[in-house]
Amino acid sequence: MDGVNANQARLIQGYVEGAWQRWLQDLAADRGIEPDIPVAMESRIWFNPAVRSRNFLVPGLVAVIMTLIGALLTAMVVACEWERGTMEAMMVTPTRVPEVLLGKLAPYFVLGMGGMLLTVALSQWLFRVPLAGSFWVLLLTSALFMLTALGMGLLISIVARNQFVAILQSLFLAGDVWSVILPNSLALAIMAALFLGLVRRRMHKRLD
C-alpha cells in the first residue's frame, strides 16, 4: 500500500483484510475447524517513520509562499501601475515590451526564490525536516514553478485589469456604452470560463 495518501491506503487495507478474513472463515467452516491466522502483519511507515506532521506541512509552505509572491503580488503591483497612471507613462518611453516584462518579473522572481530558500533553510535548521532529494533539483523545479506563478499573475493583471477598467470608466463616466461593455465583458467571461474549466477538469471526486 502506498501511504502517501493515507485515506486511500487505509481503505485498501480495510478491503484486503476484510476479504482475507472472510476467506479464512469460509475455509475454516468448510473444514470444520476454528479459523487460524497464519501470518501476523506488522506495519512499517516509509519516509516519515516518526509520523511527524511537520514533515508534511512545512514543505507545502514553500509552494504557498511562492504562489502568494508570484501570482498575488504580481497582479496587485501591475494593477497599481494602471491606477496611478505610471503604466501609460512607461508605454511612451523607448523601453521595449520584453524589457518591461523583465523589469516586472525579475524582482518578484528573486523575492520568491529568496522566500523559497528561507523556508527551506528554516525547515532544515528550525523544524528539522529531512531533505532526502537533491537541493539543485529542488531549486530548478522551484524556479519553474515561480515563473509559472509570475506569468499567471501578470496575465491576470494585464488582461483582466484592462477589461475591467474599461467597463468601470464607461459605467461611471459615460453610462451604459454597450459597444465597450459587451466586448470587454465577453473577454472577462472567456477568461473566467477558461480558468474555471481547467479547475473543473483537474478536480475529481475521488482520492487519486
Side-chain angles (χ1 to χ4, degrees):
M1 290 174 293
D2 187 358
V4 173
N5 191 322
N7 292 330
Q8 187 176 28
R10 291 191 187 97
L11 288 174
I12 295 174
Q13 179 180 354
Y15 285 131
V16 172
E17 289 181 349
W20 182 44
Q21 293 287 343
R22 181 62 182 269
W23 180 81
L24 286 176
Q25 291 174 1
D26 293 342
L27 180 63
D30 292 340
R31 295 181 178 179
I33 60 176
E34 292 294 327
D36 181 29
I37 301 178
V39 177
M41 185 182 69
E42 295 183 1
S43 301
R44 181 179 63 178
I45 299 176
W46 289 1
F47 310 122
N48 188 15
V51 197
R52 292 169 38 181
S53 60
R54 69 181 67 177
N55 291 1
F56 291 103
L57 297 177
V58 173
L61 292 177
V62 178
V64 173
I65 292 172
M66 295 180 70
T67 303
L68 290 176
I69 294 175
L72 182 61
L73 292 185
T74 303
M76 291 177 61
V77 167
V78 177
C80 291
E81 294 273 7
W82 288 108
E83 291 177 356
R84 297 181 186 136
T86 54
M87 187 65 74
E88 289 85 350
M90 186 169 52
M91 293 298 180
V92 300
T93 64
T95 307
R96 295 178 297 176
V97 172
E99 296 172 344
V100 173
L101 293 177
L102 182 62
K104 292 297 180 185
L105 296 179
Y108 293 97
F109 179 82
V110 174
L111 184 61
M113 295 302 294
M116 185 276 294
L117 293 174
L118 179 60
T119 306
V120 171
L122 290 176
S123 70
Q124 297 289 293
W125 298 331
L126 181 61
F127 296 102
R128 304 297 180 186
V129 177
L131 179 60
S134 170
F135 171 77
W136 299 109
V137 175
L138 173 64
L139 189 65
L140 176 61
T141 54
S142 298
L144 292 175
F145 178 79
M146 194 67 209
L147 289 174
T148 304
L150 288 171
M152 181 177 65
L154 197 59
L155 175 64
I156 292 174
S157 180
I158 290 175
V159 177
R161 183 66 188 173
N162 286 346
Q163 307 295 337
F164 195 49
V165 165
I167 295 175
L168 290 179
Q169 289 177 345
S170 299
L171 288 173
F172 273 89
L173 302 178
D176 297 336
V177 184
W178 296 108
S179 60
V180 175
I181 295 174
L182 290 179
N184 289 282
S185 297
L186 179 61
L188 291 176
I190 293 174
M191 284 190 62
L194 175 63
F195 286 122
L196 293 177
L198 291 174
V199 170
R200 175 63 184 88
R201 185 178 180 84
R202 298 300 303 168
M203 188 173 183
H204 306 286
K205 197 175 180 181
R206 59 177 184 264
L207 296 177
D208 58 350

